[in-house]
């Protein structure tokens, strides 16, 4: 039996540098997300907060945070929030994402993922929208996304 992402977060983040360690562990499991060097700040059922620092490697040609780096932040925070929220006998996969670029994204950015609707009895499966809002250091929203997760029962062995 594997440990849940929420249990791992609760255990590891009690240690010194625990948020950094947890963030690295997530990136070991899903290596592409390491490209944005995320730092998980909060994880609880129904909420995930992730921070990314303003670094050259996430910049576009005009010196702001690249659109795809923002999409990576949205997918990462939505996915980990979903994993921490749904019952253990369910599984998920992103099915789609709509995004809004509201203003230039500069500086350290803070993404917050929360369910857009309540999860109902999935039966054979259901779309579950997850809202992600990304704010800058001044607290202004620079990006919004809705990540549609397909949530369904785990296959029985």
């Amino acid at each position: 039996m594997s440990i849940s992402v929420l249990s791992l977060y609760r255990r590891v983040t009690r240690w010194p540098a625990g948020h950094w360690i947890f963030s690295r562990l997530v990136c070991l499991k899903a290596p592409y997300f390491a490209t944005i060097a995320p730092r998980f700040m909060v994880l609880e059922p129904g909420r995930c907060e992730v921070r990314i620092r303003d670094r050259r490697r996430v910049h576009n040609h005009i010196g702001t945070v690249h659109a795809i780096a923002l999409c990576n932040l949205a997918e990462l925070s939505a996915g980990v929030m979903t994993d921490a929220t749904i019952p253990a006998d369910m599984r998920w996969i992103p099915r789609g994402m709509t995004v809004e670029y509201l203003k230039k994204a500069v500086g350290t950015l803070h993404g917050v993922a929360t369910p857009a609707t309540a999860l109902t009895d999935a039966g054979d499966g259901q779309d579950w929208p997850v809202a992600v809002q990304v704010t800058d250091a001044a607290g202004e929203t620079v990006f919004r996304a809705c990540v549609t997760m397909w949530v369904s029962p785990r296959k029985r062995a």
Side-chain angles (χ1 to χ4, degrees), residues 5-124:
V5 69
L6 185 58
S7 297
L8 181 64
Y9 176 84
R10 288 176 174 162
R11 180 180 302 167
V12 171
T13 56
R14 292 184 295 200
W15 306 339
H19 289 271
W20 178 84
I21 293 167
F22 177 79
S23 300
R24 295 293 297 151
L25 290 171
V26 169
C27 290
L28 284 172
K29 181 74 172 167
Y32 184 71
F33 291 117
T35 62
I36 61 169
R39 179 70 54 94
F40 285 83
M41 307 307 292
V42 174
L43 180 60
E44 57 194 37
R47 187 174 192 86
C48 180
E49 298 184 27
V50 181
R51 183 188 77 200
I52 62 170
R53 291 187 7 229
D54 191 357
R55 299 174 176 192
R56 185 176 185 283
R57 69 177 168 179
V58 296
H59 282 184
N60 57 25
H61 65 289
I62 61 172
T64 62
V65 176
H66 194 280
I68 297 306
L70 293 168
C71 290
N72 286 341
L73 175 59
E75 184 181 344
L76 174 63
S77 58
V80 173
M81 185 283 300
T82 299
D83 204 80
T85 304
I86 64 173
D89 63 344
M90 304 297 284
R91 63 185 179 171
W92 62 273
I93 190 163
R95 190 175 220 177
M97 180 175 7
T98 58
V99 299
E100 296 176 87
Y101 304 100
L102 304 171
K103 63 180 285 191
K104 289 181 180 178
V106 295
T108 297
L109 301 175
H110 187 86
V112 179
T114 55
T117 63
L119 185 63
T120 60
D121 179 17
D124 289 336

Side-chain angles (χ1 to χ4, degrees), residues 92-97 125-128 147-151:
W92 62 273
I93 190 163
R95 190 175 220 177
M97 180 175 7
Q126 72 178 60
D127 282 335
W128 192 43
V147 183
T148 303
M149 298 296 185
W150 176 251
V151 178

